[in-house]
Amino acid sequence: MKYTGDWRIDEMELWEADYLNMEVEAFISIDKRGDGQFQFGLVSGHIDGEVIKRKTETRLEFTWEGNDECDEASGSGWLQLRDDDTLDGEIKFHGGDRSSLVATRIKN
């Protein structure tokens, strides 16, 4: 699965880099089933994802549960490969904000 691996979140529409990397370097980690985890700023969560194929595109769509500044949080999102090493996507908080994002593959 092309989404498998560790990705550094480089940009988010709603938050600056100082916030994104406040506690750890902002990341998304996806396993071969499409599940994983993420953290940016004081938001962290577990991803339950699946690859969805449409006529003209393929993307990983997911729901997530976790925390936002120690408060329970949840939402949904999607990730789509721009190229082998770059993801475009969006993360949405249930009943709240949504932000686009760009992430690059972390080479181990």
Side-chain angles (χ1 to χ4, degrees):
M1 205 233 325
K2 294 181 179 183
Y3 298 93
T4 301
D6 298 319
W7 303 82
R8 179 180 53 252
I9 301 173
D10 297 315
E11 300 172 29
M12 292 190 82
E13 179 183 15
L14 295 183
W15 297 284
E16 298 293 324
D18 287 347
Y19 177 75
L20 292 181
N21 301 307
M22 181 182 287
E23 286 192 333
V24 300
E25 184 174 69
F27 73 92
I28 301 170
S29 183
I30 305 293
D31 68 21
K32 63 184 175 185
R33 293 185 329 244
D35 299 335
Q37 58 186 347
F38 69 89
Q39 182 170 347
F40 61 89
L42 300 175
V43 179
S44 61
H46 295 280
I47 292 171
D48 177 9
E50 101 179 90
V51 175
I52 303 296
K53 295 180 182 182
R54 293 194 168 82
K55 290 180 183 178
T56 60
E57 67 182 18
T58 300
R59 64 187 195 177
L60 178 73
E61 295 184 1
F62 62 89
T63 57
W64 66 272
E65 291 183 345
N67 295 290
D68 180 3
E69 295 188 43
C70 297
D71 292 328
E72 288 185 17
S74 63
S76 61
W78 57 268
L79 301 169
Q80 186 171 14
L81 287 165
R82 179 188 303 173
D83 57 46
D84 287 344
D85 294 322
T86 310
L87 291 173
D88 292 318
E90 181 179 78
I91 190 160
K92 180 183 180 301
F93 289 77
H94 182 72
D97 291 331
R98 69 174 47 205
S99 180
S100 61
L101 66 88
V102 176
T104 53
R105 187 180 298 276
I106 298 171
K107 307 236 180 179
N108 295 328

